[in-house]
Amino acid sequence: NYFLPTFFIVKKMQVVAVVYVISAIANVGFNLILIPKIGIMGAAIATLISYGIMAGMIYIESQTLIRVAINFRPIFITVIIAASVWYLLMQIDIPNAWVSLAVKMVILVSVLSVAALWIYKQKQVPLPLPL
């Protein structure tokens, strides 16, 4: 969503439509492959992959229209931290499902909030004005 305004500015929304169609086709394809093998987790992984494809294509296409310098390092570090924390939280066994979910979400949101503050404090790069 961060890069979608680029397509509005240069009036190239058809590119976004094509990317969404490609992502949907990839999602269906990965679902057909992964669901029979690993069930509902296959559906989740297929969706994650298709969203990654969509985000990558939108980023690449937007950069060809309006160049924006972005530091991806803090974002990748935050994703790795969040995934690691979530994995560790899944190892905790609390018998009551609602208490388990509440405790895990409080911990995860706290970690992500600290990570968001860290990203915010990183060097900000101003966005260029469209030509």
Side-chain angles (χ1 to χ4, degrees):
N1 287 338
Y2 183 78
F3 296 102
L4 286 179
T6 301
F7 299 99
F8 286 107
I9 292 168
V10 296
K11 296 182 171 77
K12 297 246 180 190
M13 287 306 295
Q14 67 274 13
V15 174
V16 176
V18 169
V19 168
Y20 282 10
V21 167
I22 292 169
S23 177
I25 291 169
N27 193 354
V28 170
F30 284 117
N31 274 321
L32 291 172
I33 294 168
L34 295 175
I35 289 176
K37 294 183 180 189
I38 54 179
I40 195 166
M41 285 303 291
I45 293 169
T47 302
L48 179 67
I49 292 170
S50 67
Y51 269 91
I53 291 169
M54 179 175 54
M57 290 176 69
I58 289 288
Y59 172 73
I60 291 167
E61 289 298 319
S62 71
Q63 291 298 299
T64 62
L65 299 171
I66 297 176
R67 189 89 175 125
V68 179
I70 295 178
N71 181 8
F72 283 107
R73 184 173 179 223
I75 296 168
F76 287 131
I77 291 171
T78 302
V79 168
I80 290 168
I81 290 170
S84 300
V85 168
W86 186 255
Y87 176 77
L88 292 173
L89 289 174
M90 290 297 104
Q91 307 308 312
I92 299 171
D93 186 27
I94 299 175
N96 186 317
W98 289 106
V99 173
S100 176
L101 180 64
V103 168
K104 292 173 183 179
M105 290 309 296
V106 166
I107 293 170
L108 185 62
V109 168
S110 300
V111 169
L112 289 178
S113 297
V114 170
L117 288 172
W118 176 70
I119 288 175
Y120 181 74
K121 289 183 179 183
Q122 297 299 308
K123 182 179 176 183
Q124 301 288 323
V125 178
L127 296 176
L129 295 173
L131 298 176

